[in-house]
Amino acid sequence: MTIDHPRNSATATSPGAPDRPRTAGSFTLRITPAQRRALLAGARDPIGLLPKSVNLRTLASLADIGYVGLDQSRDVLRGQEATRDALDVWGGALTEDGWQRARAEGAGRFRIVVVGCGKAKQDRRVTAGAMYVGTFHGSCRETANALLQDGGRQYILSAAHGLLDLSTQIDPYDITVGDPGSVSADFVQAQVRERGIESAEVTVLAGSKYVALARHSWPDLQAPLAGAGGIGEMKQRLSQIRLAARAEAGQER
């Protein structure tokens, strides 16, 4: 599937121009390794948002050459100039030229890590990111953050709500995957399609029931906890994944 990304370039392409990557040789402007890493990280996000780890100097330099602007999917930012001060407050997003350059530099699919919900919860309405307080869920979330250091999105797969953004407000519930009234694979697939993330590179950090629920939407997902003998072994694997991800990020920098 071809994902249509928001066009927020300050130097817009002509109407109806084909959305295809140019060859690397068609770009004469040289970019630094830090700029290249930032572009590739932005391309791993469904709407091209650059991760917070990209420093302001790099953001501003990419905005100066037209590769980064403000997130045009937000009404408050639409049409605003990507000044240094605005980028400092709001962060940056790839422009159309930025998407093209990222593809020419070898950008692959954007990355998503899905974490299963947990039984231990807050006793009040809070965001999905704050709802689950179990140690296993916390370890999965920490591992997801390590895997997404260079960009991407994290979601929680809830038995009651399906795919949740971390900022979504929810009430506590007592249901798990497979229980009567829990979400179906078709329900989750509809959420995936609505978000336009069918073609993402997906890793699921959860038990087998949650992996099976997600695999209906992403048949080629990665499930590094599959086959583990219990929570203890899962936590060991999560620790190893975090260490490897952090070591890799350190080598790239």
Side-chain angles (χ1 to χ4, degrees), residues 27 31 35 37 44 53 64 69 71 92 167 183 192 196 200 232 253:
F27 288 101
I31 58 175
Q35 289 173 326
R37 286 195 299 271
R44 297 181 78 171
S53 59
D64 286 343
D71 178 11
S167 60
V183 296
V192 169
R253 289 183 178 88

Side-chain angles (χ1 to χ4, degrees), residues 25-103:
S26 67
F27 288 101
T28 57
L29 181 65
R30 290 190 177 184
I31 58 175
T32 68
Q35 289 173 326
R36 181 177 184 274
R37 286 195 299 271
L39 290 174
L40 295 179
R44 297 181 78 171
D45 182 88
I47 59 173
L49 297 179
L50 276 70
K52 294 179 180 179
S53 59
V54 177
N55 64 47
L56 181 58
R57 180 179 178 180
T58 301
L59 276 180
S61 66
L62 288 170
D64 286 343
I65 56 179
Y67 289 161
V68 164
L70 300 178
D71 178 11
Q72 297 300 291
S73 67
R74 303 184 63 172
D75 291 340
V76 68
L77 299 178
R78 193 164 297 134
Q80 286 196 32
E81 183 182 355
T83 63
R84 187 183 182 89
D85 288 343
L87 290 167
D88 191 25
V89 173
W90 300 102
L94 294 181
T95 63
E96 178 61 23
D97 286 345
W99 277 110
Q100 296 283 11
R101 183 60 185 259
R103 293 180 185 127

Side-chain angles (χ1 to χ4, degrees), residues 175-246:
I175 194 172
T176 190
V177 171
D179 288 350
S182 63
V183 296
S184 67
D186 287 342
F187 180 86
V188 174
Q189 187 175 53
Q191 292 178 311
V192 169
R193 288 174 175 168
E194 181 180 359
R195 287 169 168 81
I197 53 176
E198 300 99 313
S199 62
E201 175 189 332
V202 178
T203 299
V204 177
L205 302 177
S208 58
K209 290 183 178 179
Y210 289 83
V211 171
L213 184 64
R215 198 178 292 279
H216 186 71
S217 299
W218 297 295
D220 62 345
L221 64 79
Q222 299 177 47
L225 304 184
I231 294 295
E233 185 178 346
M234 287 184 178
K235 286 185 175 180
Q236 286 183 339
R237 292 190 188 182
L238 290 169
S239 178
Q240 293 168 354
I241 293 167
R242 288 196 297 272
L243 288 172
R246 289 165 181 165

